[in-house]
Amino acid sequence: MLEHGRLGTRQLATLTIMMVVGDMMMIFPSVITSYAKQDAWMCALIGIPLGMGLMAMFLKLGNAYPNQNLISISRSILGYWPGTLVSIFYLYFFIIGAATHTREVGDFMTTQIFQTTPIRVVILLFTIAIVWAVLHGIETLGRTSEILLPLVIVFIVVLVVSLLPQVDVENLKPYKENSYVSLAQGILVSIIYPIGEAVPILMLLPYTINNPHRNKDIILAAGIGSLILSSLVTISMLVLGAFLTQHNIYASFTLSQKINIGDFFQRIEAFMASAWLISTYFKASIYLYIFVLGTAELFNMKQYRRLILPTGLLIFGLSNVIAPGITYIIITIVPYWVDWDTTIGIIFPGMLLTIHWIKSHSLRKQT
């Protein structure tokens, strides 16, 4: 196997939460509200069990081919050349995803915190950080996630609890004023953005210790990640309202700026930014790791480590040219990203699992 490191079940679960929350922690309230408007909080809640079901589908596919990752699974099910084409599509998504997450960090830091710092400096520093993580291997990345995940959860809990005095239930009214199409779109977004982008788990399963409770823990981790995002959507709508949530791409950051308890506990937006940076860092690192590992698998290379530095340079370049600015990302990229996520997170895994079932049923009939 290309990767000799091994993940424990708890480490894979923490990485799953990081992938689900990831960059969505800051932008998810705005994205889902743009589709579902006043009913975004309901769509987010409905998406929790449905997202756990999607994760169960990923695990079903991965468990059908133990000790194989997504690249070899695609080839085993579809054949060499069709499986290779699907694998290339996935690898392209992973490299673009890593570059996009890196660019999101650059845009956020230069528009909200370091406003006079060139964006290329922030992108370069973040790229160096994720390359450093991947160079140390997936086992080190998993153990680090165990240490930092509690910080992320604590920051989010503090945010939600501190905003409770500013909650206004009237902001959630009127209920169900949108069409069923808008509700369906909101539910799809609540599933496909957080859980669909966790499809890299199919590349990590072969390097994870297969405990009896592994599947249950991973599905629960997906549910926890979706619950965190649902909590952010709900508290954002309760405090800001649907209109401000929809038109503020960094709604969670704005919420943290509104905290003021007794003119003493306030200005904690740096902590919220830290939580978002941590989760986005792990998501981008996993995408980079999956890309180099999958590329090495695709071309039958003996090791993947020699690809890490060139890929880091590629991510740095792509992050700078992927969009001219944050406005372009919001208007042009975000509306179509859900279609891409649906393809790689639902259509392709569903197709692979369906073909696997058909082939297995045919073999059973022949015997």
Side-chain angles (χ1 to χ4, degrees):
M1 299 178 74
L2 288 170
E3 175 60 69
H4 299 291
R6 302 293 289 180
L7 287 171
T9 301
R10 185 172 59 184
Q11 294 165 358
L12 183 60
T14 56
L15 288 176
T16 300
I17 296 175
M18 291 294 194
M19 279 192 288
V20 171
V21 176
D23 59 321
M24 290 291 109
M25 184 192 301
M26 200 69 75
I27 65 176
F28 187 69
S30 174
V31 172
I32 191 172
T33 309
S34 66
Y35 285 94
K37 303 295 188 295
Q38 208 73 25
D39 301 319
W41 65 278
M42 287 190 292
C43 295
L45 288 174
I46 295 172
I48 295 175
L50 296 179
M52 294 171 72
L54 181 60
M55 180 58 70
M57 186 182 77
F58 292 163
L59 295 173
K60 186 74 173 179
L61 178 61
N63 292 330
Y65 294 86
N67 300 321
Q68 293 190 46
N69 56 33
L70 184 57
I71 306 300
S72 55
I73 289 175
S74 299
R75 285 174 168 175
S76 298
I77 295 176
L78 301 176
Y80 186 83
W81 288 113
T84 299
L85 291 176
V86 171
S87 300
I88 291 173
F89 186 88
Y90 269 109
L91 292 177
Y92 180 70
F93 173 80
F94 294 147
I95 189 66
I96 293 297
T100 303
H101 302 328
T102 304
R103 177 56 184 261
E104 286 175 341
V105 171
D107 284 327
F108 171 75
M109 296 298 288
T110 54
T111 58
Q112 304 296 320
I113 300 178
F114 302 129
Q115 298 179 3
T116 59
T117 303
I119 189 172
R120 292 187 178 183
V121 174
V122 178
I123 290 175
L124 178 61
L125 292 174
F126 190 77
T127 303
I128 292 173
I130 62 176
V131 167
W132 181 259
V134 177
L135 281 171
H136 283 77
I138 190 61
E139 189 173 346
T140 301
L141 195 64
R143 292 181 178 180
T144 307
S145 69
E146 286 186 282
I147 298 173
L148 295 180
L149 178 62
L151 290 178
V152 175
I153 294 177
V154 167
F155 291 156
I156 294 174
V157 170
V158 169
L159 172 72
V160 173
V161 172
S162 301
L163 288 170
L164 289 179
Q166 302 183 42
V167 163
D168 184 2
V169 181
E170 294 296 319
N171 287 332
L172 299 181
K173 299 178 180 179
Y175 303 118
K176 294 186 286 188
E177 66 168 356
N178 300 294
S179 65
Y180 289 109
V181 174
S182 297
L183 288 173
Q185 289 176 332
I187 293 172
L188 177 63
V189 168
S190 70
I191 302 169
I192 201 61
Y193 268 134
I195 308 299
E197 292 189 357
V199 72
I201 194 171
L202 289 172
M203 294 289 290
L204 300 178
L205 283 177
Y207 313 111
T208 306
I209 299 173
N210 190 7
N211 292 326
H213 53 85
R214 185 180 70 176
N215 290 353
K216 182 180 68 175
D217 290 352
I218 302 308
I219 294 173
L220 181 62
I224 292 173
S226 296
L227 179 61
I228 290 172
L229 295 178
S230 177
S231 301
L232 291 175
V233 172
T234 304
I235 196 68
S236 180
M237 295 193 65
L238 285 169
V239 175
L240 298 177
F243 181 83
L244 290 179
T245 300
Q246 176 184 349
H247 292 88
N248 193 330
I249 187 171
Y250 303 123
S252 300
F253 187 74
T254 302
L255 286 172
S256 62
Q257 293 176 320
K258 294 178 69 66
I259 294 175
N260 186 352
I261 300 178
D263 290 328
F264 173 74
F265 189 71
Q266 57 184 335
R267 306 298 298 176
I268 67 165
E269 57 266 26
F271 292 102
M272 188 64 198
S274 299
W276 180 72
L277 286 172
I278 291 171
S279 59
T280 306
Y281 167 76
F282 278 98
K283 189 171 183 179
S285 299
I286 292 171
Y287 270 53
L288 171 58
Y289 169 78
I290 295 305
F291 175 79
V292 296
L293 183 69
T295 302
E297 174 82 19
L298 190 69
F299 293 102
N300 296 319
M301 299 176 65
K302 294 182 179 180
Q303 60 170 317
Y304 68 89
R305 297 180 64 84
R306 66 181 63 183
L307 298 174
I308 296 176
L309 292 179
T311 304
L313 294 175
L314 180 61
I315 288 176
F316 174 74
L318 286 173
S319 301
N320 284 284
V321 302
I322 201 167
I326 185 64
T327 304
Y328 181 88
I329 294 177
I330 298 170
I331 296 175
T332 306
I333 296 179
V334 170
Y336 298 100
W337 195 274
V338 65
D339 300 325
W340 202 4
D341 278 353
T342 303
T343 303
I344 65 100
I346 295 180
I347 296 177
F348 276 1
M351 176 191 68
L352 292 173
L353 193 57
T354 301
I355 295 175
H356 163 70
W357 281 341
I358 293 173
K359 291 174 68 175
S360 300
H361 185 66
S362 299
L363 288 174
R364 284 197 298 268
K365 274 190 173 182
Q366 292 175 2
T367 57

